Amino acid sequence: MPPNSSLVLVSGEESLLVDRAVTAAIHRVRKVEPGAERRESAATELTPQSFSDLVAPSLFAEPRVVVVRNAHEAGKDLVVALTGYLTDPVDGVTLVVQHAGGARNKALTDAVVKAGATVVQCSRVTKPAERLEFVKAEIRSAGGTTTPDAVAALVDTVGNDLRELASAANQLVSDTGGLVDESSVRRYHRGRAEVTGFTVADKAIAGDIAGALEAARWAMQVGVAQVLVADALADGVRTVARVAGSGRVGSAYQLASQLGMPPWKVERAQSAARHWSPAGLARAVAITARLNGEVKGLAADPDYAIEKAILDVGRARRMR
């Protein structure tokens, strides 16, 4: 029997792969039904009634994708409701159930599989060879080519986090024009693996200005491109501003759906946004916009421009 296209089980704990699998399921529906609505919630935030509301037939039977995250944490009543839905699904609704795998609520995943779900495995990538294959695939999917030595160098310098590896691989394809060789990896990622533009941005946004300056100086010393630091700082500030502008309420999964961001990024921004005022965020956005131009030729000393921007972001964070 072919898999049921209106029922998807995303199984595993590798968060990047999980987010991609959920997004891919939504895109498949929207290729056929561009106006399909997305509704998403964590299992811990659902009751049988609220789940019923998510999947309830609409007046005009508009297509819909309903995503239930962390089904392994569902309570008994919700498990019963989910299992019961499988016997009488709603036309036009695609249900995506995300489960970490393992024994917890395994009866639910067994029922989903038995109902003919399309199953997407997102197991953790723990073996070195798997990470190398992941990086090669990322570079290929971004339209680039590479060599085994370059892939090994990228993993060696960036580390084991899949999100950072994916970001680095895509950035390298963009920056090099497609050919990612060992020299380009060393040029963009020399020095300690943990020191990246994102390290600088995370510390600055969190208010650790001394730590951000130290990380920035080390990045400059080992040759991290100034534009990468500036881009990371701008992205971090924009993300916090967008999340703060959403009202800072609701689950990360709900906001992720609204804002088009991965849930992990929304959660991080929600935590940071508690320490920022609207005026401070507006000021920080202006600071990073200025820095973007400075590192691309407007500043006589781009390194100094980065340090000044970090100090200015620190002052913006204290605005009330």
Side-chain angles (χ1 to χ4, degrees):
M1 183 177 69
N4 181 355
S5 61
S6 63
L7 181 61
V8 180
L9 173 65
V10 177
S11 179
E13 295 182 295
E14 192 62 69
S15 62
L16 173 64
L17 302 184
V18 166
D19 287 343
R20 286 182 173 181
V22 171
T23 299
I26 294 165
H27 285 174
R28 280 194 296 272
V29 174
R30 286 180 174 169
K31 282 182 69 175
V32 180
E33 299 286 354
E37 180 186 4
R38 171 179 178 169
R39 297 185 179 181
E40 185 166 340
S41 183
T44 51
E45 298 170 353
L46 283 175
T47 64
Q49 181 57 53
S50 59
F51 169 70
S52 179
D53 292 341
L54 285 179
V55 297
S58 61
L59 182 62
F60 300 105
E62 293 95 343
R64 188 184 322 156
V65 183
V66 174
V67 182
V68 177
R69 296 265 190 171
N70 300 329
H72 51 283
E73 297 179 351
K76 291 181 180 179
D77 290 345
L78 180 59
V79 170
V80 171
L82 284 164
T83 305
Y85 172 84
L86 300 175
T87 64
D88 187 22
V90 176
D91 288 342
V93 171
T94 296
L95 176 63
V96 180
V97 178
Q98 182 261 314
H99 187 282
R104 189 173 180 184
N105 278 339
K106 188 174 183 299
L108 173 60
T109 58
D110 288 345
V112 173
V113 172
K114 187 176 180 180
T118 299
V119 180
V120 183
Q121 292 291 345
C122 301
S123 302
R124 287 198 181 279
V125 176
T126 57
K127 297 178 181 178
E130 293 175 339
R131 281 191 287 272
L132 294 175
E133 287 300 319
F134 172 81
V135 171
K136 283 193 285 188
E138 286 295 301
I139 292 172
R140 283 197 303 269
S141 68
T145 58
T146 189
T147 65
D149 288 345
V151 171
L154 187 58
V155 174
D156 182 52
T157 56
V158 173
N160 297 332
D161 185 88
L162 254 59
R163 292 188 188 278
E164 293 188 4
L165 285 170
S167 176
N170 281 271
Q171 187 67 52
L172 277 166
V173 172
S174 174
D175 291 340
T176 62
L179 176 58
V180 180
D181 56 17
E182 187 175 3
S183 65
S184 65
V185 173
R186 298 300 183 191
R187 185 166 66 251
Y188 283 93
H189 294 281
R190 285 181 300 191
R192 297 182 302 188
E194 67 271 20
V195 179
T196 67
F198 296 107
T199 306
V200 177
D202 288 346
K203 289 180 180 295
I205 290 166
D208 181 6
I209 301 306
L213 288 171
E214 180 185 4
R217 287 165 185 161
W218 181 266
M220 297 168 197
Q221 181 179 339
V222 300
V224 175
Q226 292 104 335
V227 68
L228 297 181
V229 178
D231 285 349
L233 189 59
D235 178 72
V237 169
R238 284 196 303 267
T239 298
V240 175
R242 290 183 65 196
V243 170
S246 69
R248 308 183 191 184
V249 296
S251 75
Y253 299 115
Q254 291 170 327
L255 289 178
S257 175
Q258 295 171 20
L259 301 176
M261 297 180 188
W264 67 269
K265 196 170 187 178
V266 173
E267 288 177 345
R268 181 180 294 180
Q270 282 179 317
S271 178
R274 299 187 186 101
H275 305 282
W276 283 84
S277 69
L281 284 170
R283 177 63 182 146
V285 169
I287 291 164
T288 57
R290 179 196 73 202
L291 178 63
N292 180 267
E294 290 174 334
V295 298
K296 292 180 179 177
L298 294 181
D301 186 345
D303 289 350
Y304 172 77
I306 288 173
E307 292 197 8
K308 185 177 186 304
I310 290 170
L311 291 169
D312 289 345
V313 166
R315 296 186 187 98
R317 188 176 184 270
R318 296 192 294 271
M319 290 177 65
R320 291 294 178 264

